[in-house]
Amino acid sequence: MTPRVIVVGAGAIGCALADELTRRSAAVTIIDAAVPLSGASAATFAWVNAYDKSPTTYRDLNLRGIDAHSRRSQRMQDDIRWFHQTGTLQLARTDTDFAALHEQIKRHQEWGIAVRPLTRTDVMNIEPRLSSTATLGGALFPDEGWIDVETMCNHFLGRAQAAGAAFHPFQTVIDIDIRNATVTTRSTDGDVHRHEGDVVVLAAGNGTRDILAAAEIELPITDPGAKDSLGIICTTGSVPRGITHVLRASGIALRPSRNAGITLTDHPTGAVWDVDDPQIWTVPGLLMQRARSLYPFLRDVSIESISLGRRVLPNDGLTIADWVGRDSSVYAVATHSGITLSSYLAEAVTSEILLGTRDHSLREFGMDRFAP
Ligand SMILES: Cc1cc2nc3c(=O)[nH]c(=O)nc-3n(C[C@H](O)[C@H](O)[C@H](O)COP(=O)(O)OP(=O)(O)OC[C@H]3O[C@@H](n4cnc5c(N)ncnc54)[C@H](O)[C@@H]3O)c2cc1C
């Protein structure tokens, strides 16, 4: 019998899941409260990495994430290329940075992660528009890169729909029956609908917390209103001959963007202010100032768009991918680093749902680790 799977949420995780479930012959219905990419996936830095991640099981999960994107992406035609495996260039700007980077290189090599130490000349050769005074040297992580999230999600969702999946935008899940795989939605015009399946997968990002709360189940994720969950992503207008790599230095991270501009962020800087504090709007200027100290040609370039995003943060920082309660027909995926993990989680979660056995790579990421 073809299993009927309802996927709630059309972010990076939901779109990747819908594609994989459909590809493996499930009958899929996708529901979103708004349009695709209305949550964290719309305001993400989208850096694909396993950088300094711990514990080992979580690092391995992220390495599987990089590998899955790489495999899938190689099967794509050029016009729908979404994984840009540019490598990450980590810069050292001071002697202290340099000593810390040396330790990081050693640690990553011990973990079996590809990384190459670079002299200042090496750095200038691979990123020639960088200011020659900006760095003492660096490290290249060649397997990493960034995702064009919009192209990836459009591709996954489009392919799922072409294979028969139904997509219902503007329907908010307001109730869930976890024994009978049924969700109740309210559309923007107030109509209430019931959707019945054999399995419901909750991939609604921070929204999953509210959906489960309606069934009196607590999802152990950080309150999305908390300061630490907030991030600011800025993108410049198009920059001819911009930058090549994902580039990270103290106080700033940059990467090429889908509009041929440059996307900027910095986690600690973006998470200092409350969202309604006017001081938050000093962050884009600060990031641009730091970017210009690395790339003087950015003097004449300005920021074209700013997005505020709320991270999906399980209480221990690690992924949640598990059935919700015993004998339940509801599966929940809630994770930070969801861009890195999307293709792999789609494969592993689909196997769990269709085969009914726990995937060994997800064993450490169950709900039971939060049990008192
Ligand atoms: C500032 C920032 C920077 C980040 N940087 C990186 C990075 O560099 N690399 C990386 O790998 N990850 C990064 N992340 C994390 C990553 O973006 C997220 O883990 C990922 O986007 C989560 O995707 P998702 O599909 O689970 O959730 P979301 O993208 O939030 O999607 C959830 C969807 O569910 C829908 N929804 C919500 N509630 C309901 C409801 N009740 N009914 C129906 N639909 C509902 C929403 O409309 C939304 O479309 C970053 C996140 C932020 C915020």
Side-chain angles (χ1 to χ4, degrees):
M1 199 184 77
T2 305
R4 297 166 305 159
V5 184
I6 299 172
V7 176
V8 181
I13 301 286
C15 291
L17 265 166
D19 176 51
E20 186 66 10
L21 282 159
T22 314
R23 202 179 67 78
R24 289 165 69 177
S25 301
V28 175
T29 300
I30 308 129
I31 296 171
D32 199 286
V35 292
L37 299 184
S38 297
S41 307
T44 174
F45 189 59
W47 173 34
V48 175
N49 74 96
Y51 187 79
D52 244 349
K53 293 191 175 169
S54 62
T56 310
T57 45
Y58 185 58
R59 185 164 58 248
D60 286 348
L61 194 67
N62 281 270
L63 288 170
R64 288 172 197 272
I66 298 174
D67 184 56
H69 280 310
S70 181
R71 272 188 284 112
R72 280 192 178 209
S73 178
Q74 275 161 20
R75 293 201 297 261
M76 300 290 145
Q77 290 145 6
D78 271 345
D79 57 337
I80 44 170
R81 184 161 164 252
W82 36 262
F83 181 29
H84 299 271
Q85 205 161 11
T86 55
T88 302
L89 177 53
Q90 185 79 36
L91 289 188
R93 304 196 70 186
T94 62
D95 289 334
T96 317
D97 283 356
F98 205 73
L101 188 59
H102 182 72
E103 288 306 309
Q104 276 164 354
I105 292 171
K106 236 172 64 190
R107 205 163 50 242
H108 283 79
Q109 284 171 337
E110 280 163 15
W111 291 335
I113 291 179
V115 52
R116 190 154 58 86
L118 302 175
T119 62
R120 185 203 305 240
T121 311
D122 295 333
V123 170
M124 297 307 296
N125 282 341
I126 64 170
E127 210 38 78
R129 301 199 79 192
L130 203 59
S131 156
S132 57
T133 57
T135 181
L136 299 177
L140 181 70
F141 294 78
D143 295 340
E144 298 182 353
W146 62 280
I147 294 260
D148 170 352
V149 180
E150 209 174 312
T151 299
M152 178 180 82
C153 289
N154 285 342
H155 170 69
F156 283 155
L157 191 57
R159 198 161 68 167
Q161 286 180 280
F167 176 47
H168 301 289
F170 299 110
Q171 288 202 25
T172 302
V173 171
I174 52 170
D175 201 7
I176 186 164
D177 177 344
I178 68 160
R179 299 268 164 261
N180 298 306
T182 303
V183 295
T184 306
T185 62
R186 182 175 291 124
S187 63
T188 36
D189 54 13
D191 287 350
V192 172
H193 300 268
R194 267 168 64 85
H195 301 266
E196 289 176 17
D198 299 308
V199 174
V200 176
V201 188
L202 295 176
N206 285 312
T208 296
R209 197 169 99 125
D210 296 338
I211 296 171
L212 286 176
E216 297 184 354
I217 295 169
E218 191 190 334
L219 184 73
I221 65 172
T222 305
D223 176 355
K227 260 191 204 168
D228 200 40
S229 78
L230 189 69
I232 301 187
I233 308 291
C234 306
T235 299
T236 69
S238 156
V239 180
R241 297 186 304 112
I243 66 173
T244 309
H245 298 85
V246 176
L247 190 136
R248 297 179 77 245
S250 170
I252 184 85
L254 311 91
R255 64 162 171 81
S257 63
R258 76 190 303 264
N259 68 340
I262 295 174
T263 294
L264 319 170
T265 195
D266 179 53
H267 180 186
T269 311
V272 166
W273 312 105
D274 277 322
V275 71
D276 49 4
D277 187 329
Q279 291 285 349
I280 200 169
W281 299 111
T282 59
V283 172
L286 204 56
L287 294 178
M288 202 60 201
Q289 201 180 320
R290 292 175 188 166
R292 286 181 181 132
S293 77
L294 293 171
Y295 289 102
F297 73 90
L298 290 177
R299 210 175 25 245
D300 305 322
V301 173
S302 46
I303 289 172
E304 198 168 75
S305 68
I306 301 171
S307 317
L308 298 184
R310 294 282 187 193
R311 293 177 173 82
V312 183
L313 290 175
N315 285 349
D316 60 0
L318 309 179
T319 301
I320 294 173
D322 198 5
W323 295 98
V324 178
R326 219 174 289 152
D327 305 325
S328 145
S329 55
V330 174
Y331 194 104
V333 184
T335 189
H336 185 51
S337 294
I339 304 302
T340 301
L341 296 170
S342 49
S343 280
Y344 181 71
L345 283 179
E347 293 173 4
V349 171
T350 296
S351 292
E352 292 208 339
I353 289 169
L354 298 184
L355 306 177
T357 50
R358 194 85 173 117
D359 188 281
H360 72 279
S361 66
L362 297 182
R363 274 192 199 133
E364 306 286 321
F365 302 104
M367 297 275 223
D368 52 359
R369 71 185 194 265
F370 298 102

